[in-house]
Amino acid sequence: MAATLENPLRTGMRLERTAPPCAIVIFGASGDLTKRKLVPALYRLAQQRLIPAEFAIIGVARQEMSDEEFRSRMHDAFAEFNGDEPIDEKTWQSFAQGLFYVQGDFSEASSYFRLKSRLEEIEKTRETQGNRIFYLATSPDYFGLITEQLGDAKLASSGDHGWTRIIIEKPFGHDLESARALNAQLASVFDESQVYRIDHYLGKETVQNLLVFRFANSIFEPLWNRQYIDHIQITNAEAIGVEGRGAYYEQAGVLRDMIQNHVFQVTSLIAMEPPASLSANSVRDEKIKAMQSVMHIPEDRVDDFAVRGQYGPGRVLGDTVVGYREEPGVNSQSSTETFVALKLYLENWRWANVPFYIRSGKRLQKRITEIAIQFKEVPHRMFTEADAPLQPNVLVIRIQPNEGITLTFGAKLPGQAMRIRQVNMDFRYGSSFGVKPPEAYERLLLDCLLGDSTLYARRDMVERGWEIVTPILNSWKKPAPDFPNYEAGSWGPAAAFDLIERDGRKWRKI
């Protein structure tokens, strides 16, 4: 028999642990998140045999539906939203036997007692050993209500057998006050160790690799400080607009929707100190320490550190698009920001006087998320006769798309003259490992099943994110007189370029 061929670059990669038996209850089972992300992610885990046969998924929503109808809808949704990924019908049929549905109104106590009865029945037949996860894939308005109802129905604990966990989707609050109130509601029913606040950005392979890149390589960590790094740029750009979510976006804006959670989580991984271990609390302790050192931005000086923008009509990727104010569900005089640029300083020993420049926006020139570590210039310029000025080294970590890492450095061109050019040393996940990275929800759901909360946001981290942006939000309550102030398909308003250029720096060309 011929030997099985193995990608040599994958040799030594750890085998994933299989999750224990469990029942997952998904509130909001008729919504987009369930059919686009959650059920497909759980199907893939089943396909990889990372969840056992003793497994059940119970969907809960207002709509009347039988178990068979729910299974059929999930199958059709997978085919619709994952067209390039064929369904293994044999695996699906086995997986679908664990799909169930309970009709219920989230505000009615009777719905939870009906759920409890059905859950206990399913736990016996599917032998899930009393392990439960409640996933709140609903509007944020229901988070507190569902939590309290679960407590009243005695569903927050499995008693002497098994464990119970709850996953909360973002947005986690609308401001600092509402985030604290929601945390208090959760704490009144669940222990903090049971609460998993999900941020799908932390499930991305490249984000997770930040820990490995920093702490598994001796070459980079000694340079990871104010002595060698001039500044850091974090870009989170989207080419799309609000995609029919105008009514939601009017209440959110990019500062709440992206920066307060996703971007700050990435920032903390760049800025944190080495943890004592890779345990969830050790990692999250260091992340919160980093974010606690972020300099307070006074309300009367917000313009020195923050820029807001809103897109007008323009062309994106060759298509003509309308401005934000013309989008469905958006106020024609809206002052909601679709672009934000920030300058943050971390007041600690490692990062003193190193600015973190952050920009995030919609309807920009392209879709890209990256971290650029700009190193300082060489202390003495010897190559004064070179035909191109020396450029500082840049380390770029691409989170999406084309996930990978690039190091830019100077090299001599062949020939008699001393001619220097910037060249790239490139690493790409796809070509290096020969596998497609798993979807973020696959990793995060598996981690919750395994009881690993490392990639989930802790209570103090959520509240700290709101503390940082609160002065900015307060300052921006006043209408923006110049909106729209950037053309769709550009890289944001002129003020965003001024923010960095007045420090003698420039945004990277992407």
Side-chain angles (χ1 to χ4, degrees), residues 66-305:
S66 67
D67 291 344
E68 284 303 323
E69 190 175 0
F70 181 57
R71 292 165 184 168
S72 176
R73 289 193 182 190
M74 293 301 105
H75 179 278
D76 293 346
F78 188 95
E80 179 182 356
F81 299 116
N82 300 272
D84 60 340
E85 181 182 349
I87 298 178
D88 180 334
E89 292 295 341
K90 184 177 180 181
T91 303
W92 177 268
Q93 290 304 319
S94 174
F95 171 75
Q97 293 306 304
L99 292 176
F100 304 91
Y101 185 82
V102 174
Q103 187 277 331
D105 187 315
F106 302 150
S107 62
E108 294 179 358
S110 59
S111 297
Y112 295 84
F113 288 102
R114 188 162 61 252
L115 168 64
K116 184 177 183 179
S117 175
R118 187 80 197 279
L119 179 58
E120 289 172 348
E121 172 192 321
I122 291 168
E123 285 177 331
K124 289 178 182 177
T125 58
R126 299 289 297 181
E127 299 180 347
T128 58
Q129 300 181 12
N131 298 324
R132 301 169 178 172
I133 292 175
F134 295 103
Y135 198 118
L136 274 54
T138 68
S139 162
D141 298 338
Y142 291 108
F143 291 170
L145 173 65
I146 293 173
T147 299
E148 290 180 357
Q149 293 278 21
L150 288 172
D152 291 344
K154 309 298 183 196
L155 282 166
S157 171
S158 299
D160 296 331
H161 305 286
W163 42 256
T164 301
R165 297 168 188 146
I166 184 169
I167 300 178
I168 312 287
E169 269 288 340
K170 82 170 191 73
F172 199 88
H174 184 74
D175 52 23
L176 179 57
E177 183 180 353
S178 59
R180 284 174 172 165
L182 180 54
N183 274 328
Q185 282 182 299
L186 283 164
S188 69
V189 178
F190 294 93
D191 184 78
E192 177 64 22
S193 63
Q194 295 177 276
V195 179
Y196 288 67
R197 300 170 188 83
I198 196 166
D199 185 330
H200 73 270
Y201 253 58
L202 291 180
K204 294 181 181 293
E205 283 288 316
T206 330
V207 175
Q208 297 169 46
N209 196 53
L210 280 171
L211 286 173
V212 177
F213 183 79
R214 286 193 57 193
F215 305 128
N217 298 291
S218 62
I219 189 171
F220 296 109
E221 188 57 25
L223 311 179
W224 213 262
N225 56 60
R226 60 186 171 81
Q227 290 179 289
Y228 298 98
I229 294 175
D230 179 78
H231 71 278
I232 292 171
Q233 294 184 25
I234 303 173
T235 298
N236 168 239
E238 296 180 288
I240 61 171
V242 292
E243 300 293 287
R245 297 192 309 150
Y248 160 75
Y249 215 77
E250 276 290 88
Q251 304 301 315
V254 72
L255 189 63
R256 288 183 171 95
D257 188 50
M258 293 299 296
I259 290 180
Q260 178 272 330
N261 41 69
H262 297 327
V263 179
F264 281 176
Q265 288 286 349
V266 172
T267 303
S268 68
L269 288 169
I270 301 166
M272 66 185 282
E273 295 296 325
S277 72
L278 288 179
S279 69
N281 276 332
S282 288
V283 172
R284 297 194 295 181
D285 284 347
E286 296 304 332
K287 288 172 64 179
I288 187 61
K289 284 179 189 176
M291 297 311 290
Q292 283 170 341
S293 70
V294 172
M295 186 186 78
H296 172 71
I297 299 176
E299 269 186 49
D300 60 355
R301 292 190 60 206
V302 163
D303 290 348
D304 294 336
F305 298 93

